[in-house]
Amino acid sequence: WISMVDRLQRASPRAALACYSRASRWTPDDAEVWVRQGETLADLARPEQAVLAYDRALDAAPDEVEIRE
C-alpha cells in the first residue's frame, strides 16, 4: 500500500498526507509510516510538523540509522 501512496503523493500530497496520517493511527509503531508522513509534511512546507513526525519515527525505531540522516 505504501507504493500506492507514494504514487499518490506525486499527484496529490494532501491526499497522501491523509493516508499516512490514518496509517500512523492504525500502526503507531511503524517508523516507515512516520518517515513518509514527515517527508510529505516537508513537501507541503510544514517543517514543524515534519520534525514531529520524524521524532515519532525515531521513537518507533531508535536504532534505524537511516532515519537519523
Side-chain angles (χ1 to χ4, degrees):
W1 70 269
I2 287 183
S3 64
M4 288 179 8
V5 179
D6 284 345
R7 284 185 298 237
L8 177 63
Q9 183 172 354
R10 288 187 281 280
S12 177
R14 291 183 195 283
L17 179 59
C19 291
Y20 290 132
S21 295
R22 188 171 297 126
S24 67
R25 287 192 299 272
W26 292 333
T27 57
D29 295 329
D30 188 335
E32 184 174 6
V33 170
W34 287 109
V35 167
R36 292 182 187 261
Q37 184 172 344
E39 291 169 347
T40 305
L41 286 162
D43 289 345
L44 292 168
R46 294 163 65 180
E48 295 87 9
Q49 290 175 305
V51 168
L52 293 174
Y54 291 134
D55 285 346
R56 293 292 301 266
L58 286 170
D59 288 344
D63 297 328
E64 288 292 327
V65 175
E66 289 129 14
I67 295 172
R68 293 184 189 283
E69 298 173 356

